[in-house]
Amino acid sequence: MSTSTVEDPDAIAEEPLSEEEYRNRLRELPPSAKLVAKVLEIDSPLSQGQLTEESLLPDRTVRYALNRLEEVGLVGSRYSFRDARKQVYFLKH
């Protein structure tokens, strides 16, 4: 039996993306994801509801945009310190 441990991939600290890599990943995404990223660039962390209010996009569109941004590693999330029932989102770059 091996005594080696498997690290949690979420626990590994990621290096920040270069501006060029950030822009390249963002370039391939739909306009809604670009808008959500811009809102997070100006003010973060924000909840999904706050992103909906700030971006003027429908809730479903914001959810889709966040999923796409998470898939390409541009957005991270954590539980809110103010309300542990909510998650807040932030840019990783």
Side-chain angles (χ1 to χ4, degrees), residues 42-56:
I42 294 167
D43 186 22
S44 74
L46 293 173
S47 69
Q48 184 175 328
Q50 291 169 316
L51 283 165
T52 299
E53 288 177 26
E54 293 296 320
S55 67
L56 303 176

Side-chain angles (χ1 to χ4, degrees), residues 4-92:
S4 65
T5 60
V6 177
E7 291 187 33
D8 179 4
D10 294 330
I12 298 171
E14 295 180 25
E15 288 187 35
L17 295 173
S18 68
E19 186 67 26
E20 181 180 355
E21 179 63 23
Y22 172 78
R23 292 176 69 81
N24 285 339
R25 290 184 189 187
L26 194 59
R27 185 172 286 121
E28 303 300 320
L29 296 176
S32 60
K34 292 173 183 168
L35 177 58
V36 168
K38 190 63 171 176
V39 170
L40 287 172
E41 192 175 291
I42 294 167
D43 186 22
S44 74
L46 293 173
S47 69
Q48 184 175 328
Q50 291 169 316
L51 283 165
T52 299
E53 288 177 26
E54 293 296 320
S55 67
L56 303 176
L57 293 171
D59 188 54
R60 183 177 176 171
T61 304
V62 170
R63 190 168 45 250
Y64 173 75
L66 286 169
N67 286 335
R68 294 296 307 273
L69 288 163
E70 285 179 321
E71 285 172 6
V72 297
L74 295 180
V75 167
S77 65
R78 63 169 171 77
Y79 287 102
S80 171
F81 295 131
R82 292 185 181 164
D83 185 348
R85 296 171 296 176
K86 294 182 181 180
Q87 284 200 315
V88 291
Y89 299 89
F90 55 91
L91 289 179
K92 288 185 171 182

